[in-house]
Amino acid sequence: MNHSHNARSLFARCFTARSLRVLCAVAALGTFAPSHAEPPAAQDDPMQAARQLHGEYVELQNRLSLIQEKTIEAHPELQKQQEAFLDLMMAKMASGSDASPQDDLAAIDKLEQKLRSKDTPDSERQTLMTEYQEKAMAFRAAQVEALKDPEVQQAQDALRDATVTAMKQQDPQTTQLMEQLQQKQDEMKQMLEAAGQGQ
């Protein structure tokens, strides 16, 4: 019972991170993307500008995520609506799959705990990280497929609208932050397009 609760908590954390991107119309990849080595800033000003822009983007995401968390905590009806949405997502994700979403999340949760543990040898961390990323990516792929279902889309739209409305009531800065986040996303898209044309 408790293990199932832990799995649902992890799912909720994944959903919270993803839902903020959905709420703000951001098509960014998920939280578990591997980090990349940064090129030397001194010899590449465009890359330095890109890193600064991305940092500002992440800061806005974090601020909105905090508002979202506080809003959901303060509104029991939103918590129930989110639970219903998660149940629906889990049911749709389970269709045609050998392992249940609960089993997948339990495996991801175990790997996450091992990666965070100080007792895990460094020699095992790379293997664990690779497995963790593979399972997380597969889980997100199943989420994406489930989100194509009309019933899930309707529930998602209702949850998104209710959450955004409550966030704006919780913190008047929400609208401005969402607009700034969209602007940063547009700027990063333009920067990437310009870099592609320059090659």
Side-chain angles (χ1 to χ4, degrees):
M1 296 289 289
N2 187 38
H3 194 66
S4 175
H5 175 73
N6 290 340
R8 288 189 61 80
S9 296
L10 178 60
F11 185 92
R13 291 204 302 275
C14 291
F15 170 73
T16 299
R18 286 191 72 85
S19 67
L20 184 59
R21 294 174 173 82
V22 174
L23 294 173
C24 305
V26 176
L29 287 175
T31 310
F32 309 111
S35 59
H36 299 284
E38 295 186 0
Q43 67 183 37
D44 198 351
D45 288 340
M47 190 62 69
Q48 185 176 9
R51 282 197 298 270
Q52 180 178 345
L53 182 60
H54 183 262
E56 294 171 356
Y57 176 83
V58 170
E59 175 63 23
L60 288 167
Q61 274 191 326
N62 290 339
R63 290 176 65 184
L64 280 165
S65 181
L66 184 60
I67 295 172
Q68 186 187 32
E69 288 178 20
K70 289 182 178 179
T71 299
I72 292 176
E73 288 175 2
H75 292 76
E77 72 281 4
L78 274 181
Q79 295 177 27
K80 291 180 180 178
Q81 190 174 355
Q82 187 182 59
E83 275 293 311
F85 176 78
L86 295 177
D87 288 340
L88 179 61
M89 279 278 288
M90 296 279 257
K92 297 295 183 180
M93 289 171 65
S95 300
S97 176
D98 293 336
S100 70
Q102 289 89 341
D103 290 338
D104 292 337
L105 279 167
I108 292 172
D109 197 24
K110 280 185 178 179
L111 288 167
E112 184 180 11
Q113 290 176 18
K114 287 183 179 180
L115 285 167
R116 290 184 176 182
S117 174
K118 295 179 180 179
D119 297 330
T120 302
D122 291 339
S123 59
E124 295 181 13
R125 288 188 180 278
Q126 185 59 50
T127 300
L128 290 171
M129 178 59 73
T130 299
E131 185 179 358
Y132 178 75
Q133 290 170 351
E134 288 175 353
K135 288 184 179 296
M137 288 176 67
F139 188 82
R140 283 199 297 275
Q143 282 183 310
V144 170
E145 286 301 311
L147 285 169
K148 295 177 182 178
D149 185 280
E151 186 179 0
V152 175
Q153 289 178 355
Q154 185 176 1
Q156 183 191 42
D157 289 344
L159 177 59
R160 178 196 61 212
D161 293 345
T163 303
V164 169
T165 298
M167 286 173 66
K168 290 177 179 178
Q169 295 172 349
Q170 178 81 14
D171 191 324
Q173 286 190 316
T174 296
T175 300
Q176 181 181 0
L177 290 172
M178 291 176 74
E179 289 173 352
Q180 290 176 353
L181 188 67
Q182 184 64 54
Q183 181 182 354
K184 297 298 179 186
Q185 183 193 11
D186 292 342
E187 290 177 12
M188 286 194 296
K189 183 180 178 180
Q190 292 173 5
M191 189 175 291
L192 287 171
E193 290 175 350
Q197 292 173 357
Q199 291 179 348

